[in-house]
Structures are given as structure tokens and as C-alpha cells.
Amino acid sequence: MQEVSRGQALPSAVLREFYRQDWRPNLKILLVYALLGVAGAVAWSTSSSALRFGMYACMGYLWMSVVTFMHDASHGILFRASWKNWLFGFVSTIPIVITFISFREDHLEHHRHNRSALDPDAFTMGRRGFLDFLVFYAYLIVGGVLTVLQFTFVYPFQKFDSRAWRIHVLELLARVVVIGGALAVAESQGMLGRFLALWLIPAYVFTLFNSMRFIGEHYGTPWEQGQLLGTRTITSHPINSFFWNNINYHIGHHVYPATPWYNLQKLHAALGPEIERSGAVVDSSYLRVLLGSCRGGPESRERNAQRLAARHSLASGPTRSSAA
């Protein structure tokens, strides 16, 4: 694989500041879980269907915040102490079933092989055959189911050694105990249906947001060109940046993955000249990228190269005209 990973590297003194960890921004974790609790309590107690489903949608959106915190934990940068990252990852993933060890191993491998044949997350790239279309559009609609299958069975059977399997099985057993216990208590109280709605409807909303985020981060970027060019930043708007912990500033995260979430906006500003010089992909809207991917469907190397050539032609056109 041709590695065009960082372009012009930032000075080490600047990077040390970006890598510096601070416990205070992570107090937002408490805010997010408090908001989840309030939304859940309102959804549980209200007699208004509209308000209830509004709260379900809010909970799904807030779960994106929890998962992006967990994402930093998978890189070992949410907390200074390794055990705190593992504990948060273990606990935070229980409601979404997947195990932290599986997400972590898959995600770090994705970083090592971003936008290449060895990238475990590059399922959008293929031959545009029937199965490619089926998996691509299924992910947009039922991405949560596919994600659980990937992290529970597919990736572990492909990649895990004995140690990873032990951790994975222990995490799965914990989920059986916690989720099974909650279901049993709800059933004994005659509230199973309400409990399942409070859990599964927000979870489904979360998967829709998560699929949109996932597609937005790399779909349509250059293939086998490393971290800088093979990643998309979506400037989006301050609400998404706040609640999704700046995951939308994704180029910086891939180029310098040791940067905690609260420094990613500053990192993006520092990388601005290199992003501009290299022509790395920056968009303004998750929805725009999602709609474009829905129209385009699964990728192929040939189609990817054609689209990038067309994009470069459009980008250079005004320059040539003005020069003339």
C-alpha cells in the first residue's frame, strides 16, 4: 500500500500540546449520561406518544456521544490510566451488545490499514456486485444488526488470538447477565414491552446516526492513499461537534490519533494549510454525503478513480481559466 499518511508533519512541540490530556473536558460524560437519564425518564412516564418518541430520538442521538467517548477509550486517550479506558469501554458498550475488545481491535486495525484491502471496515469497496449492493444498503437501514454480527462473530473468528477470545467471551457473558437480568426483572414487573421499547427504539435511532457517520468518514475518498487523503472531515455544525465529541474532524483524528476529542478542532485548524494543499476531502454536511452515497451505492476501485479524476478536474478548472 502506498502510504501518504501525514503530508507535512506538525512540529513536535505543537503535537505535545494537542496530545496533552485534561480530565476536565471529560466531565461532559456525566452531562451526557444525565441527559440520557432525563430523556429516558420522560419517555417512560409520559402519556404523549409524540413526546415519548421524541425522547427516544434524543436518546439515540445521545448514544452517539457515549460511543464517541468509547472510541477515544479504544485509542487509550479518554483517560490517562489504561484500566479506566478499559472499564469505560466495557461498561459503555453493554447496552449496544458489542464487546469493547472486538471494537477496539477492529478499529485499531482500521487505522493501520485505512482505505486499503486490509481495512476491516472497508466493506463499501468491492466489485459492485449483487452482494455489495445488498450489504451496502442493508448497512444504511439495519446497520446495528450487521455491526453486532461483525463484532460478535465475524471479526473475532477471523482475527482473535486466545487472549482476545477470553476477554471477548467474558464481555459477552457480562452482557448476558446484565441484559438478561434487566429483561427478567422487567418481565416480573409486567413492564417487558415498555422496557424493550426504551432500549431498542433509541438503539435503532442510534444505528441510523452511526451509519451516517461511518459512511461520511471515508466513503468516496482516495483508495490506498493513507490517512490524510483517505479520510473525510465534515465540519457539520456546533451541535454535532459538541455531542459527537468532534469525531466529525476526522482527518486530524486519523493523521494524529493520539489527539483527545477536545483538541480535534484545534488540530483541524493547524492542519488546515496541509489539508488545502493536498486536496483532502472536507465537506460541510453529513446528510449531503449520505445522500450522495445512497445515489452512488457501493464503491469499486475503477469508479473511485473516475470520480476522483472528475473532482480534480472540476477543482482545477477555475484555476486554469483564470490563468488563461
Side-chain angles (χ1 to χ4, degrees), residues 11 13 15-16 18 27 32 53 86 118 144 170 183 206 225:
L15 287 177
R16 280 196 297 272
F18 290 145
L27 292 174
V32 169
F53 279 91
W86 276 93
L118 297 177
L170 286 173
L183 292 173
F206 157 72
Q225 294 296 305

Side-chain angles (χ1 to χ4, degrees), residues 42 57 73 82 103 118 125-126 142 151 158 191 196 240 286 288 292 312:
V42 173
S82 176
F103 176 89
L118 297 177
M125 181 66 75
V142 289
F151 289 137
Q158 289 177 337
M191 298 184 297
L196 288 173
N240 272 346
Y286 275 107
R288 183 181 298 119
H312 291 318

Side-chain angles (χ1 to χ4, degrees), residues 87-292:
L87 179 62
F88 184 86
F90 172 81
V91 173
S92 64
T93 52
I94 289 176
I96 57 175
V97 181
I98 68 169
T99 66
F100 179 62
I101 181 69
S102 192
F103 176 89
R104 179 181 181 274
E105 296 302 308
D106 175 286
H107 187 68
L108 295 181
E109 186 172 1
H110 158 65
H111 270 262
R112 289 192 295 271
H113 305 293
N114 182 46
R115 292 292 282 173
S116 76
L118 297 177
D119 184 350
D121 294 350
F123 70 88
T124 64
M125 181 66 75
R127 300 178 181 273
R128 288 178 61 82
F130 172 76
L131 286 178
D132 295 315
F133 278 89
L134 179 63
V135 171
F136 183 84
Y137 288 109
Y139 181 75
L140 297 178
I141 301 169
V142 289
V145 175
L146 297 182
T147 299
V148 169
L149 291 175
Q150 165 74 2
F151 289 137
T152 305
F153 302 107
V154 178
Y155 188 81
F157 277 106
Q158 289 177 337
K159 302 289 185 177
F160 276 6
D161 57 19
S162 59
R163 175 184 175 275
W165 265 113
R166 287 194 296 271
I167 298 172
H168 183 59
V169 170
L170 286 173
E171 286 199 62
L172 289 176
L173 289 174
R175 280 141 182 77
V176 170
V177 171
V178 173
I179 297 174
L183 292 173
V185 171
E187 171 67 21
S188 69
Q189 299 298 313
M191 298 184 297
L192 182 59
R194 293 175 67 192
F195 176 81
L196 288 173
L198 188 67
W199 173 32
L200 296 179
I201 295 176
Y204 180 68
V205 173
F206 157 72
T207 66
L208 297 177
F209 283 123
N210 193 56
S211 293
M212 179 174 68
R213 174 204 59 79
F214 182 92
I215 293 294
E217 290 172 352
H218 300 284
Y219 179 90
T221 61
W223 186 250
E224 294 187 328
Q225 294 296 305
Q227 308 294 349
L228 179 69
L229 296 181
T231 308
R232 173 187 283 103
T233 277
I234 300 178
T235 53
S236 192
H237 52 75
I239 295 176
N240 272 346
S241 295
F242 179 81
F243 282 107
W244 295 6
N245 301 316
N246 296 321
I247 196 68
N248 48 308
Y249 292 96
H250 211 58
I251 291 175
H253 167 64
H254 262 264
V255 175
Y256 296 109
T259 304
W261 64 267
Y262 38 84
N263 288 333
L264 286 175
Q265 287 197 40
K266 292 182 287 186
L267 175 60
H268 175 73
L271 286 173
E274 182 63 18
I275 289 172
E276 178 71 20
R277 185 200 64 78
S278 66
V281 184
V282 177
D283 280 298
S284 61
S285 168
Y286 275 107
L287 187 58
R288 183 181 298 119
V289 176
L290 177 66
L291 292 176

Side-chain angles (χ1 to χ4, degrees), residues 64-82:
M64 281 294 300
S65 187
V66 174
V67 168
T68 47
F69 282 130
M70 182 273 291
H71 163 265
D72 263 29
S74 73
H75 285 278
I77 57 174
L78 185 62
F79 303 105
R80 287 192 177 93
S82 176

